[in-house]
Amino acid sequence: MNISLESIQQKVENQIRLTADEGLFLYNDEVDLHRVGQLADTVRRRLHGNRAYYNRNAHLNPTNICGYRCELCAFSRDLDDPDGMVMDEAAMIARGCEAVESGCTELHIVGGLHPEKPYDWYREIVRLLHESYPSLHLKAFSAIEIAHFAQETGRSYETILRDLQEVGLGSLPGGGAEIFAPKVRRQICSRKHSAEVWLEVHRVAHRLGIRSNATMLYGHLESADDRIDHFVRLRELQDETGGFQAFVPLSFHPESTQLAHLKRVSSLEDLRTIAVSRLMLDNFDHIKAYWISLGIGTAQIALAYGADDLDGTVRYEKIHHEAGSTAPESLTVDQLCDLIREAGCEPIERDTLYRPIPQP
């Protein structure tokens, strides 16, 4: 069967799943981007009408010292690096206090895997913050961090996740997925756990009732085939568990990484990736246009290319900024709402689990 935009449109209108070959067809530069965007917008409107979501969130990176030192990372430091940083308990409690006082409902916790900090140090971060600020939803530790804790302690993923749940873990972020293709993964994050490990951690989390997000880092050494493979594998796990809340495409920022010779992808490629992800991930409720990664202008346009969520206020984000992101340090609620309205959508504040928050 010949693949065309018309045949894909017919499947989209009839809510029939696209194949990997059809997804690859949509990544062809000769296929009109704006028509692809219109198809993705059709799906977005079917799911969400005119609504676009945001939340009030802050980030906490307890340490930038990491034994993995991935080639793609500008954030991590070696143990003896003068720029190495480890937050003490008082600083982390102060960050939680500032988040609550500024109206945040979520604290996003990820960081380096410090070679001298045991699992219990990371666990204590969750316990302290949850006990001090129980209203904050703690979205903490990527699947790679969970796998590291399991490896270090000799415990199972389930045991680690249950333990963290007991002290206040609310959900998992989607980081560490990078790109699933093993050949590329060996070049961009050679010490990081495999795609299979990442998927298994999320599988176990979902079985325990822990919701999570999924990401894909694109715009480095991967091919369009690799991106489509990534979508298909996420889609298959979501078919199995239903535990993913949102997909977050992350545009790679090469500055200050070991891949600094690479050129950033264009905004048009960003929009195509947003649109194709919306069309391929038919069992994901939400696609985020993460403004820190995309830039504000592209993220706003992405709301017409399949995305329905701008993420949030994102206070204290470090990882993308150290890799060259020129986005602001944070946005106010008024700024987020203005961006959403300018894009022709209705802003809806949500909590981490996508429950709407009533406005005064």
Side-chain angles (χ1 to χ4, degrees):
M1 177 182 168
N2 289 330
I3 298 173
S4 67
L5 262 180
E6 288 69 26
S7 65
I8 290 174
Q9 179 175 345
Q10 209 168 35
K11 291 183 78 170
V12 169
E13 289 173 351
N14 290 294
Q15 300 185 48
I16 299 171
R17 173 165 286 183
L18 301 187
T19 66
D21 285 342
E22 287 167 329
L24 196 58
F25 173 86
L26 294 172
Y27 256 122
N28 189 324
D29 286 340
E30 294 180 4
V31 176
D32 185 83
L33 168 62
H34 305 298
R35 288 190 63 190
V36 178
Q38 286 173 340
L39 290 177
D41 192 54
T42 297
V43 177
R44 180 190 70 82
R45 290 179 181 277
R46 181 192 300 146
L47 292 170
H48 305 291
N50 207 35
R51 298 181 297 278
Y53 300 91
Y54 71 92
N55 73 336
R56 303 184 197 221
N57 60 345
H59 283 217
L60 172 66
N61 308 119
T63 180
N64 64 354
I65 295 170
C66 187
Y68 285 24
R69 298 293 278 127
C70 293
E71 292 83 352
L72 57 81
C73 185
F75 172 75
S76 65
R77 299 292 187 273
D78 291 321
L79 189 61
D80 59 354
D81 194 309
D83 292 331
M85 173 276 298
V86 179
M87 294 180 74
D88 60 26
E89 287 184 2
M92 288 189 273
I93 291 294
R95 180 65 56 81
C97 180
E98 196 273 345
V100 170
E101 289 179 350
S102 64
C104 291
T105 58
E106 172 188 294
L107 193 60
H108 180 122
I109 307 171
V110 294
L113 287 163
H114 195 299
E116 295 182 353
K117 296 293 184 186
Y119 161 65
D120 285 345
W121 183 76
Y122 291 89
R123 180 186 187 273
E124 185 68 3
I125 294 168
V126 175
R127 189 194 67 79
L128 275 173
L129 286 165
H130 180 63
E131 289 189 0
S132 302
Y133 307 103
S135 65
L136 272 180
H137 179 105
L138 303 181
K139 185 170 73 177
F141 306 136
S142 72
I144 300 302
E145 289 165 287
I146 300 297
H148 175 81
F149 301 153
Q151 187 176 56
E152 182 221 317
T153 60
R155 302 178 195 174
S156 67
Y157 303 151
E158 179 172 344
T159 303
I160 294 292
L161 287 165
R162 284 189 184 279
D163 189 40
L164 290 171
Q165 262 188 307
E166 288 175 4
V167 295
L169 176 72
S171 63
L172 295 186
E178 318 312 358
I179 200 80
F180 290 153
K183 182 178 178 181
V184 181
R185 201 173 181 86
R186 283 193 294 270
Q187 296 177 80
I188 66 169
C189 51
S190 54
R191 298 174 188 85
K192 195 164 275 183
H193 291 282
S194 69
E196 288 71 27
V197 166
W198 188 97
L199 290 162
E200 181 61 20
V201 170
H202 284 266
R203 178 180 287 109
V204 173
H206 297 169
R207 190 168 67 234
L208 297 175
I210 301 170
R211 305 300 300 276
S212 67
N213 291 338
T215 62
M216 178 182 75
L217 187 71
Y218 66 92
H220 41 86
L221 304 177
E222 87 290 356
S223 65
D225 284 280
D226 295 330
R227 297 179 193 177
I228 296 300
D229 169 70
H230 196 97
F231 294 149
V232 169
R233 296 182 73 175
L234 288 175
R235 191 169 71 179
E236 288 172 347
L237 182 56
Q238 183 73 331
D239 278 343
E240 178 187 334
T241 69
F244 287 119
Q245 299 196 111
F247 174 68
V248 194
L250 298 173
S251 184
F252 180 56
H253 291 250
E255 187 176 315
S256 301
T257 74
Q258 295 175 49
L259 303 171
H261 60 283
L262 297 177
K263 184 180 178 182
R264 267 208 69 196
V265 298
S266 69
S267 293
L268 296 179
E269 186 73 3
D270 289 330
L271 293 173
R272 190 177 294 273
T273 296
I274 292 277
V276 176
S277 68
R278 177 63 285 170
L279 292 166
M280 289 295 295
L281 297 175
D282 53 21
N283 52 6
F284 276 65
D285 287 338
H286 302 283
I287 304 292
K288 279 190 187 184
Y290 185 43
W291 61 265
I292 292 280
S293 171
L294 297 172
I296 288 175
T298 303
Q300 187 181 31
I301 296 168
L303 294 177
Y305 281 74
D308 64 278
D309 189 331
L310 280 185
D311 198 274
T313 49
V314 196
R315 304 169 71 86
Y316 299 108
E317 196 285 331
K318 300 294 184 187
I319 293 172
H320 276 80
H321 280 99
E322 294 206 8
S325 172
T326 57
E329 291 295 321
S330 67
L331 289 177
T332 66
V333 168
D334 286 345
Q335 287 171 322
L336 283 165
C337 289
D338 286 346
L339 289 169
I340 290 170
R341 290 191 184 101
E342 285 173 7
C345 297
E346 175 192 1
I348 302 292
E349 184 176 355
R350 61 166 178 84
D351 66 10
T352 306
L353 302 177
Y354 280 88
R355 296 172 297 204
I357 295 176
Q359 298 304 297

